[in-house]
Amino acid sequence: MRTILALALAVVCSSLTLQADPPPAKDSTTPPTKLTPLMRMKLDKSKTILEGLTLQDYEKIASGASSLRQLSLESGWNVIQTREYAAQSRDFERAADLIVEAADAQDIHRATMGYVALTVRCVECHSYMRKHQMTVLKRQLDE
């Protein structure tokens, strides 16, 4: 079990070095996306959870996951109105809730697996968003 958790944490740690924002548009005249500050906050809170997991600091784990859950309720979070994106957001929220519950129960293994699930949700959603980047950029330009 420890080997699986160590491997899962190694995968998660390496994924944190991935770019959190959508790749910049090839056309340099395209305005920067408005997602960057929110995504940066999300990345910071994710790092807080990882730090809490490595230190077995349940308060830090719960705080980071609760903050992520709150960020998912911000209006800037819903950048595209599709069923797939809504499902991705719900899965993300459930993973954040699982982490909080596990931290409250002081269950480091369940919190770790919740963090892995949360990270998978992030990677999947960002992959989806890259595929639909033109729709997102059009929406931002219309605002």
Side-chain angles (χ1 to χ4, degrees), residues 114-131:
Y115 184 70
V116 170
L118 183 89
T119 303
V120 168
R121 296 284 41 94
C122 290
V123 172
E124 289 294 319
C125 190
H126 283 267
S127 176
Y128 176 78
M129 293 303 292
R130 280 188 291 276
K131 290 177 187 173

Side-chain angles (χ1 to χ4, degrees), residues 68-116:
L68 278 175
R69 181 68 162 88
Q70 290 293 37
L71 283 175
S72 74
L73 302 175
E74 293 290 323
S75 63
W77 187 273
N78 294 310
V79 295
I80 188 170
Q81 304 299 316
T82 66
R83 279 189 239 186
E84 175 65 22
Y85 184 80
Q88 293 279 359
S89 287
R90 281 192 306 274
D91 289 346
F92 179 88
E93 291 167 356
R94 278 194 289 272
D97 291 342
L98 175 93
I99 295 169
V100 172
E101 291 167 12
D104 289 345
Q106 296 193 353
D107 185 339
I108 196 68
H109 300 295
R110 201 171 71 157
T112 301
M113 295 314 290
Y115 184 70
V116 170

Side-chain angles (χ1 to χ4, degrees), residues 11-21 40 43 119 123 130:
V11 169
V12 169
C13 289
S14 66
S15 71
L16 287 177
T17 62
L18 297 175
Q19 185 175 350
D21 301 317
R40 286 289 167 214
L43 184 58
T119 303
V123 172
R130 280 188 291 276

Side-chain angles (χ1 to χ4, degrees), residues 19-65:
Q19 185 175 350
D21 301 317
K26 292 179 182 169
D27 177 8
S28 62
T29 61
T30 303
T33 65
K34 296 177 184 176
L35 298 177
T36 302
L38 186 63
M39 289 298 114
R40 286 289 167 214
M41 285 189 282
K42 185 175 88 168
L43 184 58
D44 288 343
K45 298 306 177 186
S46 296
K47 289 177 182 179
T48 298
I49 297 169
L50 180 59
E51 182 179 345
L53 289 168
T54 59
L55 299 173
Q56 203 163 345
D57 181 338
Y58 296 108
E59 188 174 316
K60 189 170 277 204
I61 295 167
S63 171

